Amino acid sequence: MPADFPARGRVYAFFRRRREHGLIAEFHDRLRGRVREREGHQAEPSAGIIDAQSVRAAASVPSGSRGYDGGKKVPGRKGAS
């Protein structure tokens, strides 16, 4: 820690109190909104992206239900990640 900071235990207690009251998440959300506005976007995103993990199908899985992930170029099934 920088020399001008209080002892590690005091700094952590300060952080822990704010985290328990939800202030860390609130600070993060406010900062993200300001950064987005500075870049010319709305403070809150209008869309999100959810990715799924491709799982290779075993040889015993019928080929009709195997599928193909064209983005990752692998045969198998998509599963939630």
Side-chain angles (χ1 to χ4, degrees):
M1 293 212 117
D4 57 342
F5 272 43
R8 180 196 171 283
R10 292 198 56 202
V11 172
Y12 182 70
F14 183 84
F15 166 77
R16 188 179 64 234
R17 279 193 308 273
R18 277 143 186 80
R19 185 185 60 196
E20 288 170 356
H21 289 97
L23 294 175
I24 300 298
E26 184 178 337
F27 293 156
H28 177 267
D29 292 345
R30 286 183 183 187
L31 179 59
R32 182 188 61 230
R34 287 185 180 180
V35 169
R36 287 182 55 83
E37 288 173 343
R38 187 178 305 147
E39 293 178 354
H41 302 286
Q42 291 184 3
E44 290 295 320
S46 59
I49 298 173
I50 299 174
D51 191 14
Q53 182 177 6
S54 296
V55 180
R56 290 190 180 271
S60 60
V61 175
S63 60
S65 67
R66 276 192 206 168
Y68 183 77
D69 180 355
K72 296 179 183 163
K73 310 266 191 276
V74 294
R77 294 183 177 173
K78 285 253 190 192
S81 54

